[in-house]
Coordinates of all heavy atoms in Angstrom, one line a residue:
Q438 N 14.6 18.6 40.0 CA 14.6 20.1 40.0 C 13.2 20.6 40.4 O 13.1 21.9 40.5 CB 14.9 20.7 38.6 CG 16.3 20.2 38.0 CD 17.4 20.7 38.9 OE1 17.3 21.9 39.4 NE2 18.3 19.9 39.3
T439 N 12.3 19.8 40.7 CA 11.0 20.3 41.1 C 11.0 20.2 42.7 O 11.4 19.4 43.3 CB 9.8 19.3 40.6 OG1 9.9 19.2 39.2 CG2 8.5 19.8 41.0
T440 N 10.4 21.4 43.2 CA 10.3 21.4 44.7 C 8.9 21.5 45.1 O 8.1 22.2 44.5 CB 11.0 22.7 45.2 OG1 11.7 23.4 44.2 CG2 11.9 22.5 46.3
A441 N 8.5 20.8 46.1 CA 7.2 20.8 46.7 C 6.8 22.2 47.3 O 7.7 22.8 47.8 CB 7.0 19.8 47.8
G442 N 5.6 22.7 47.0 CA 5.2 24.0 47.4 C 4.5 24.0 48.8 O 4.4 22.9 49.4
A443 N 4.0 25.2 49.2 CA 3.4 25.3 50.5 C 2.0 26.0 50.3 O 1.8 26.8 49.4 CB 4.2 26.1 51.5
N444 N 1.1 25.7 51.2 CA -0.2 26.4 51.2 C 0.0 27.8 51.8 O 1.1 28.1 52.4 CB -1.2 25.6 52.1 CG -1.5 24.2 51.5 OD1 -1.7 24.1 50.3 ND2 -1.4 23.2 52.3
A445 N -1.0 28.6 51.6 CA -1.0 30.0 52.2 C -0.6 30.0 53.7 O 0.0 30.9 54.1 CB -2.3 30.7 51.9
D446 N -1.1 29.0 54.4 CA -0.8 29.0 55.9 C 0.6 28.4 56.2 O 0.8 28.1 57.4 CB -2.0 28.3 56.6 CG -2.0 26.8 56.2 OD1 -1.2 26.4 55.4 OD2 -2.9 26.1 56.7
G447 N 1.3 28.0 55.2 CA 2.6 27.6 55.4 C 2.8 26.0 55.5 O 3.9 25.5 55.5
T448 N 1.6 25.3 55.6 CA 1.7 23.9 55.6 C 2.0 23.3 54.3 O 1.8 24.0 53.2 CB 0.3 23.3 56.0 OG1 -0.7 23.8 55.1 CG2 -0.1 23.7 57.4
P449 N 2.7 22.2 54.2 CA 3.1 21.6 52.9 C 1.9 21.3 52.0 O 0.9 20.8 52.5 CB 3.8 20.3 53.3 CG 4.0 20.3 54.8 CD 3.0 21.3 55.4
S450 N 2.0 21.7 50.7 CA 0.9 21.5 49.8 C 1.2 20.2 49.1 O 2.4 19.8 48.8 CB 0.9 22.6 48.8 OG 0.0 22.2 47.7
K451 N 0.1 19.4 48.8 CA 0.3 18.2 48.0 C 0.2 18.4 46.6 O 0.3 17.5 45.7 CB -0.7 17.1 48.5 CG -0.4 16.6 49.9 CD -1.4 15.5 50.3 CE -1.0 15.0 51.6 NZ -1.9 13.9 52.1
A452 N -0.2 19.6 46.2 CA -0.4 20.0 44.8 C 0.5 21.0 44.2 O 1.0 20.9 43.1 CB -1.9 20.4 44.6
K453 N 0.8 22.0 45.0 CA 1.7 23.1 44.5 C 3.2 22.6 44.4 O 3.7 21.8 45.2 CB 1.6 24.3 45.4 CG 0.2 24.9 45.4 CD 0.2 26.1 46.3 CE -1.2 26.6 46.3 NZ -1.4 27.4 47.6
Y454 N 3.8 23.2 43.4 CA 5.2 22.9 43.2 C 5.9 24.0 42.5 O 5.3 24.9 41.8 CB 5.4 21.6 42.4 CG 4.8 21.7 41.0 CD1 5.6 22.0 39.9 CD2 3.4 21.6 40.8 CE1 5.0 22.2 38.7 CE2 2.9 21.7 39.5 CZ 3.7 22.1 38.4 OH 3.1 22.3 37.2
T455 N 7.2 24.1 42.5 CA 8.0 25.0 41.6 C 8.9 24.3 40.7 O 9.6 23.3 41.2 CB 8.7 26.1 42.5 OG1 9.4 25.5 43.5 CG2 7.8 27.1 43.0
L456 N 9.0 24.7 39.5 CA 9.9 24.2 38.5 C 10.3 25.4 37.6 O 9.4 26.0 37.1 CB 9.3 23.1 37.7 CG 10.1 22.5 36.5 CD1 11.3 21.8 37.0 CD2 9.2 21.5 35.7

Side-chain angles (χ1 to χ4, degrees):
Q438 297 302 315
T439 303
T440 351
N444 296 313
D446 62 3
T448 55
S450 166
K451 291 186 177 182
K453 294 183 183 155
Y454 63 95
T455 45
L456 171 66

